[in-house]
Amino acid sequence: MKIKNICCIGAGYVGGPTMTVIADKCPDLQIDVVDLNEKRIEDWNNNDFTKLPIYEPGLADIVKRRRGKNLHFSNLIKEKIENADLVFISVNTPTKKKGVGAGKASDLKWVEACARQVAEFSKGHTIVVEKSTLPVRTAEVIKSILFASYNLNEDKETEKTFDVLSNPEFLSEGTAIKDLENPDRVLIGGEKEEAIEALCSVYRCWVPEEKILKTNIWSSELAKLTANAFLAQRISSINSISALCEATGADIREVSRAIGSDTRIGSKFLVSGPGFGGSCFKKDILNLVYLSNHFGLPEVANFWESVVELNKWNQKRISELIVKKLYGSVSGKKISILGFAFKANTNDTRESAAINICKDLLEEGAILYIHDPKVESNQIAKDLNLEPLKESFTEHESLRNSEIGNWYFANSIRESLTGADAVILLTEWDEYTCIDWREASNLMRKPSWIFDSRSILNPEKIKASCLNFWRIGDGSIN
Ligand code: NAD
Ligand code: UDX
């Protein structure tokens, strides 16, 4: 089972960067990334490397180096599957919106479609690898579709055979290239040693042997869901204590440092914030909740569901306290929103806490000036389900009397701050740490408020600039 040609179905946040790094580390392999979405593929093939469909630090340089050599992006799904020894399935697995399991179970229709495509187009022996995050026992579904296709084939010459492996991805957005180049571990679950070994040989090009973990296929599928659930649980835990800090005079940064120094607890994922976002945590926990209920374990399901509930509550808590501090009303007030992405160094807004917090403030009649260094205006409009104002507020003083919430896409931090009653920092972009608060204070309407939901601003400098200040989990100042 020597691997020469790899096809990855799905050119998204996982498929694109993962295959780019494999192409870079394994120059002898040919890697084809295919997708149904023509625009996405067009963007991956853009000669302006700042216009790739995904922003990840370091990604553009590697794509520049490998594209057209051993890394190719196309819509040629049939041809590339036919040619592949190994197919990664790296398609979206969102929460089901309708029918049985709606709101919790993963929608596997894209994964099923991939299995059918591989069953139809593949030739000879193909190793099919689950890269998407999937419910435990999905490999069973994939196998049954694949095996149904080769049972019909009696001609030995053109016989199709398959192995199915699970190889979940643990990269984080914003640090995807670093995570892929130096992973904590690579997890491979499977049944047949030969197939596992073939996939190991790809990773061995750059990952030390001791970091490649082999398990049975069900453990691998479940380990991915569990890793995300544990990480998200830490965030909900620290955010719950953050609220208690605000009520008692404690400081969440000090509490985090104190508990994180215990090597049994560890210091990572203890940064309190507006609540976890991103495409994975909520969906994967809800999937775990669905599976637990399905297997007759409602107590387990309730335990994990509370992690998502607390996250929702935390976002609501922040929008409510902002309204309260602004004298009980934000109607007609200009509010600067700094950051819309779900975390820094990505243009991804999926499940961003900014979406719910902005919606709450719009509902209260605020005029939001939203700034983000990487997120585009049309994405924000889609997320808020509201088109932006075409002209800036200064030409629309009458908006101050409007009861209806509106938003404007701020092209600069300065534009967002000018005349604002409050600044709400929602994403921890580096450039927000360099704001000159004296200058900002002169630009804003008095009395002005700064809300730091990420705890990245310097309280002394802000307070010295005659600005009111709130930051998450700080009981000493709130
Ligand atoms: P994504 O939505 O960015 O990309 C998925 C792509 O698959 C889309 O471009 C879509 O057009 C394409 N696609 C869907 N069905 C197809 C088909 N039948 N044929 C060809 N193309 C098809 O999703 P993503 O963020 O890359 O996530 C993919 C999987 O990886 C999910 O299961 C997710 O849970 C998991 N994951 C994501 C991350 C992350 O940080 N985003 C990290 C680890 C794991
Ligand atoms: C996550 C997992 O970390 C990754 O292993 C998995 O493959 C995909 O899902 P991602 O969602 O890209 O990655 O980013 P992550 O760094 O985990 O952050 C998720 C959310 O939690 C962000 O909104 C982030 O701001 C928030 N977060 C993270 C905190 O609020 N506090 C922390 O201490 C860490």
Side-chain angles (χ1 to χ4, degrees):
M1 287 191 201
K2 181 116 182 69
I3 310 295
K4 287 202 199 96
N5 298 304
I6 290 179
C7 170
C8 173
I9 311 179
Y13 281 88
V14 169
T18 308
M19 293 306 122
T20 300
V21 169
I22 295 183
D24 201 39
K25 300 293 182 186
C26 314
D28 295 337
L29 297 179
Q30 282 297 321
I31 319 273
D32 279 284
V33 188
V34 295
D35 204 294
L36 292 169
N37 183 331
E38 289 183 10
K39 169 79 172 78
R40 212 163 213 189
I41 292 299
E42 209 177 283
D43 290 344
W44 278 112
N45 285 321
N46 202 320
N47 282 330
D48 177 352
F49 287 89
T50 62
K51 300 251 161 66
L52 296 181
I54 286 160
Y55 172 72
E56 273 296 335
L59 174 67
D61 287 343
I62 313 181
V63 173
K64 204 187 254 178
R65 208 155 60 224
R66 301 312 326 169
R67 204 180 65 194
K69 297 195 174 91
N70 67 333
L71 175 68
H72 316 274
F73 296 92
S74 75
N75 302 108
L76 303 172
I77 297 176
K78 173 176 184 288
E79 289 86 330
K80 300 307 176 187
I81 291 177
E82 268 175 8
N83 196 37
D85 311 304
L86 185 147
V87 175
F88 282 106
I89 297 181
S90 188
V91 296
N92 35 321
T93 50
T95 305
K96 256 183 108 171
K97 291 207 176 99
K98 290 193 282 197
V100 179
K104 292 220 167 60
S106 291
D107 193 340
L108 295 181
K109 79 170 170 231
W110 292 274
V111 172
E112 185 181 330
C114 289
R116 290 180 190 279
Q117 285 163 333
V118 178
E120 187 177 353
F121 305 135
S122 65
K123 290 194 167 151
H125 186 72
T126 310
I127 300 176
V128 179
V129 183
E130 299 173 341
K131 192 50 127 174
S132 296
T133 303
L134 297 168
V136 201
R137 301 203 79 86
T138 303
E140 204 91 78
V141 176
I142 295 178
K143 270 192 217 160
S144 74
I145 294 170
L146 296 173
F147 295 173
S149 79
Y150 78 60
N151 286 344
L152 296 174
N153 204 326
E154 282 166 13
D155 177 359
K156 282 274 168 220
E157 287 285 296
T158 57
E159 191 182 50
K160 300 179 189 202
T161 51
F162 303 99
D163 279 300
V164 178
L165 300 176
S166 159
N167 171 222
E169 185 47 62
F170 294 96
L171 67 81
S172 287
E173 290 180 30
T175 53
I177 300 302
K178 207 166 81 350
D179 297 342
L180 288 162
E181 288 184 337
N182 186 18
D184 284 347
R185 77 314 210 173
V186 164
L187 180 57
I188 302 179
E191 283 162 352
K192 216 194 281 166
E193 193 46 48
E194 233 187 322
I196 296 174
E197 184 48 35
L199 182 55
C200 281
S201 72
V202 173
Y203 284 109
R204 250 187 232 117
C205 292
W206 79 100
V207 180
E209 188 72 42
E210 65 277 11
K211 285 193 174 180
I212 305 179
L213 310 183
K214 300 170 199 169
T215 65
N216 81 34
I217 200 157
W218 319 125
S219 305
S220 169
E221 289 178 336
L222 186 56
K224 173 65 200 176
L225 291 181
T226 309
N228 276 354
F230 267 59
L231 292 169
Q233 174 272 122
R234 282 174 73 96
I235 300 169
S236 278
S237 297
I238 206 69
N239 283 339
S240 72
I241 301 301
S242 198
L244 202 54
C245 285
E246 288 170 31
T248 57
D251 182 337
I252 196 63
R253 283 147 294 272
E254 294 178 354
V255 175
S256 293
R257 199 172 70 236
I259 65 166
S261 320
D262 186 325
T263 51
R264 294 167 303 173
I265 296 175
S267 60
K268 293 187 180 158
F269 270 71
L270 288 181
V271 179
S272 179
F276 57 78
S279 65
C280 296
F281 283 172
K282 182 171 155 201
K283 138 179 116 59
D284 293 344
I285 296 181
L286 290 176
N287 188 207
L288 204 58
V289 169
Y290 179 76
L291 285 170
S292 306
N293 276 325
H294 174 81
F295 288 106
L297 300 164
E299 290 79 4
V300 178
N302 294 344
F303 173 73
W304 288 111
E305 194 161 11
S306 72
V307 171
V308 176
E309 288 304 318
L310 195 121
N311 197 51
K312 224 194 285 172
W313 168 81
N314 190 53
Q315 294 171 8
K316 199 72 184 170
R317 178 179 93 79
I318 293 176
S319 20
E320 283 175 0
L321 76 83
I322 290 167
V323 175
K324 205 163 147 206
K325 297 250 183 229
L326 295 177
Y327 313 111
S329 169
V330 291
S331 176
K333 289 183 180 159
K334 173 170 171 177
I335 296 183
S336 154
I337 301 288
L338 297 185
F340 201 81
F342 81 98
K343 63 188 275 195
N345 297 316
T346 176
N347 59 347
D348 196 348
T349 63
R350 290 178 289 182
E351 298 295 338
S352 175
I355 300 174
N356 287 337
I357 293 174
C358 287
K359 278 186 175 170
D360 286 345
L361 297 173
L362 287 170
E363 181 74 22
E364 295 272 347
I367 304 151
L368 307 180
Y369 266 52
I370 305 179
H371 176 269
D372 190 286
K374 290 290 172 198
V375 179
E376 290 179 0
S377 173
N378 59 2
Q379 183 58 50
I380 300 175
K382 238 187 255 169
D383 290 330
L384 296 179
N385 205 10
L386 184 68
E387 286 304 312
L389 292 168
K390 295 272 180 292
E391 284 170 82
S392 177
F393 182 75
T394 41
E395 284 100 65
H396 277 277
E397 266 302 320
S398 58
L399 279 174
R400 282 229 188 264
N401 302 320
S402 157
E403 295 281 303
I404 302 162
N406 274 298
W407 73 278
Y408 181 81
F409 184 74
N411 286 302
S412 67
I413 300 175
R414 192 186 172 85
E415 184 179 22
S416 155
L417 296 179
T418 307
D421 295 275
V423 171
I424 307 174
L425 187 143
L426 293 176
T427 314
E428 73 282 22
W429 288 102
D430 258 355
E431 58 191 276
Y432 299 149
T433 60
C434 308
I435 295 174
D436 178 339
W437 290 106
R438 277 193 173 277
E439 197 190 337
S441 179
N442 289 332
L443 292 172
M444 293 176 72
R445 189 166 83 148
K446 299 284 170 333
S448 347
W449 272 90
I450 311 299
F451 296 90
D452 180 7
S453 78
R454 295 285 186 169
S455 228
I456 58 163
L457 303 178
N458 181 324
E460 278 70 42
K461 285 194 178 154
I462 293 177
K463 283 189 261 173
S465 308
C466 299
L467 296 160
N468 295 303
F469 184 57
W470 171 92
R471 67 172 170 173
I472 193 113
D474 193 342
S476 67
I477 60 163
N478 295 318

